[in-house]
Amino acid sequence: MKKISLSFLLIFCINIGISQIIDVHLHSYTDEDYYGGRPYPLGNISSPATAKGHLKRTIELMDSLHIEYAVISNSLKANEKWMEADDRFIPGYSAGTDLIPVDEFEQLIKNGKIKVFGEVGSVYDGTTLTNPIYKPYIEICEKYGIPVMYHTGPPAPHSESKAKRIFKGDPALIEDIIATYPNIKICLQHAGAIFWENAVILMAYYPNVYSDLGVLFWASPISEEIAVNFLKKCKNYGVLNKVMYGTDQMVWPESMVVSIDKFNALGFLTEKEKQMILYDNAKEFLGLVDAPNHK
Ligand SMILES: [Zn+2]
């Protein structure tokens, strides 16, 4: 009897169109680097008091929001801890300008401990991906087919870095990297934010350029407006197949709910287009094969 009810429930879910999501932009934390326990000032989004509570809440939300995979980044230690807790996490190597040795980077890729190069947050150090220090890492990404996820737009205002620079976040500044390495898939995280029009131009011109929505749907009313304009232009340019969903929850996991709800409420995207952005495009970008439980 129990079995029949479950099958019925599954069929019902498929019919009403509950689809799975890949979130390409989450962050992992340890006790040492966790800075939560304070609400996000705009929108009053709560934050768990501890790193442990934050991980627990992120996993709970992944369950309730049907998130099948999520790319995480921060320290390698944080990634390790999160991957032990849940096998849906895909590890990204979060990089500023203080990089691990190239040999170690390559070894971690071989061991499956790094599957994405990013979030590369060079904007926080006042530079871009064109800085020669990144060259050997980019070449390893090319060798192993590792995608690059690169922070675009201004650095987060709450960062205490003195070196951060708004205009280093313009994706147009990394055109040389995009053009020099056409076999590397590059995701412009936050869709360029205030430089969103340049993100669309790059996506339309270069086959290897993608974008994620990052914080846009929850960080502020201005960023939400950017997200809408960006998606409308992507639709007009025929590049919605290169837009991916990501939350960039930082220490505020509830932002995942806010962001997905706002995205799903958009009237100008068809259900098929939403499905591409929430799932299909990321699956292609990350080179994932079907999970056994995927419909
Ligand atoms: Zn981020």
Side-chain angles (χ1 to χ4, degrees), residues 88-121:
R88 286 174 290 177
F89 293 126
I90 297 171
Y93 171 51
S94 181
T97 49
D98 186 15
L99 296 153
I100 56 172
V102 180
D103 294 354
E104 189 184 341
F105 180 67
E106 183 165 13
Q107 197 53 49
L108 288 165
I109 287 173
K110 284 186 187 167
N111 296 346
K113 299 268 172 75
I114 293 177
K115 293 193 172 165
V116 169
F117 182 35
E119 181 167 12
V120 179

Side-chain angles (χ1 to χ4, degrees), residues 119-144:
E119 181 167 12
V120 179
S122 48
V123 71
Y124 290 91
D125 292 328
T127 187
T128 76
L129 201 60
T130 57
N131 188 317
I133 62 161
Y134 295 112
K135 195 167 186 276
Y137 299 85
I138 291 170
E139 284 170 356
I140 287 172
C141 289
E142 186 178 44
K143 183 174 164 189
Y144 293 94

Side-chain angles (χ1 to χ4, degrees), residues 175 178-179 199-209 237 239 242:
E175 186 182 4
I178 291 165
V200 181
I201 292 166
L202 291 166
M203 289 164 74
Y205 195 87
Y206 291 103
N208 57 329
V209 180
Y237 276 49
V239 292
K242 295 161 89 185

Side-chain angles (χ1 to χ4, degrees), residues 25-27 73 119 124 151 189-190 215 248-250:
H25 194 152
L26 290 184
H27 291 289
S73 67
E119 181 167 12
Y124 290 91
H151 178 108
Q189 295 179 291
H190 310 290
V215 292
D248 194 8
Q249 97 290 24
M250 294 178 275

Side-chain angles (χ1 to χ4, degrees), residues 123 127-128 150-154 165-173 192 195:
V123 71
T127 187
T128 76
Y150 178 69
H151 178 108
T152 59
R165 294 291 183 272
I166 295 171
F167 291 94
K168 295 289 183 190
D170 185 343
L173 299 178
F195 309 109

Side-chain angles (χ1 to χ4, degrees), residues 80-95:
E80 192 120 353
K81 204 173 131 207
W82 280 43
M83 282 156 65
E84 274 167 25
D86 198 298
D87 60 9
R88 286 174 290 177
F89 293 126
I90 297 171
Y93 171 51
S94 181

